[in-house]
Amino acid sequence: ESEMGIRCLAGELGKLQSPKELNLGSSRLSGNWRQILWGHFSFSLQAPLESLELAFCSLLPADFSFL
């Protein structure tokens, strides 16, 4: 169930056109940032994000390594 939710979120983020900022604060996505931001989303980015806010998110060592 959570895997499907992560894929859905990544798919929806992939529909954004040229975002400059992304705020995913207070989300419970620990250990899944690579899949969310790289799996679908990064291929649609035409320019790098200027700001990524992950306030109040629990990040795992793998999340830090990816980010």
Side-chain angles (χ1 to χ4, degrees), residues 11-63:
E12 292 301 312
L13 288 174
K15 293 177 184 177
L16 297 174
Q17 302 219 349
S18 301
K20 294 185 185 273
E21 298 178 2
L22 188 59
N23 180 343
L24 296 170
S26 301
S27 57
R28 296 180 182 175
L29 300 168
S30 299
N32 295 296
W33 291 107
R34 178 183 299 274
Q35 182 179 356
I36 293 165
L37 297 177
W38 185 255
H40 297 284
F41 188 52
S42 66
F43 296 110
S44 66
L45 288 177
Q46 296 182 14
L49 288 172
E50 292 177 11
S51 172
L52 174 63
E53 186 172 335
L54 301 173
F56 305 107
C57 290
S58 296
L59 299 175
L60 299 176
D63 297 324

